[in-house]
Amino acid sequence: MSVKQISATELNNKIQNEEALFLLDVREPNEFQYARIDKSVLIPLNQIPQRIGELDPQQNIVVICHHGVRSQQAANYLVHCGFEKISNLTGGIDAWSRECDSSVPRY
């Protein structure tokens, strides 16, 4: 099973429509403090294996990072572990800031 890609605009539409999503941010704490999407949950990439029990395999999970590289790694890992409803935010928080919410700082 491959990881679905989701654009910032698609994600924003899902959030506006109040779809049930778990926003998993896999950046480092300092990045998360600086810029984040509301209601996203921080689990840094290197902590995913130890903290996988905090995630619900039945939930629609969108994985987020700065530009989409770390989140793709995390998404691939989650799919490998049996998660089926995983999407990667293409372009990451940077795309979110450019396309959806300019109040989110770019870095």
Side-chain angles (χ1 to χ4, degrees):
M1 177 177 211
S2 63
V3 173
K4 182 179 171 229
Q5 301 297 313
I6 186 170
S7 72
T9 303
E10 288 172 309
L11 176 58
N12 194 37
N13 289 339
K14 287 178 180 289
I15 291 171
Q16 297 302 319
N17 291 331
E18 298 182 5
E19 288 189 33
L21 299 171
F22 184 86
L23 305 178
L24 172 61
D25 196 314
V26 298
R27 296 173 300 144
E28 292 301 309
N30 61 317
E31 293 175 283
F32 186 77
Q33 282 182 330
Y34 185 71
R36 68 181 161 275
I37 300 173
D38 281 347
K39 299 187 175 118
S40 58
V41 174
L42 176 66
I43 301 179
L45 178 61
N46 65 355
Q47 295 179 18
I48 297 286
Q50 304 94 285
R51 296 179 62 187
I52 197 165
E54 296 175 34
L55 303 173
D56 179 355
Q58 301 306 310
Q59 206 165 19
N60 288 313
I61 299 175
V62 178
V63 191
I64 303 160
C65 71
H66 189 195
H67 286 114
V69 177
R70 286 175 283 177
S71 55
Q72 182 67 53
Q73 291 175 319
N76 289 340
Y77 177 78
L78 291 171
V79 167
H80 174 77
C81 291
F83 287 72
E84 295 179 4
K85 300 174 182 176
I86 302 294
S87 300
N88 180 47
L89 177 59
T90 307
I93 193 85
D94 190 68
W96 179 263
S97 177
R98 283 185 285 111
E99 298 171 25
C100 302
D101 186 353
S102 61
S103 73
V104 174
R106 292 181 67 200
Y107 62 99

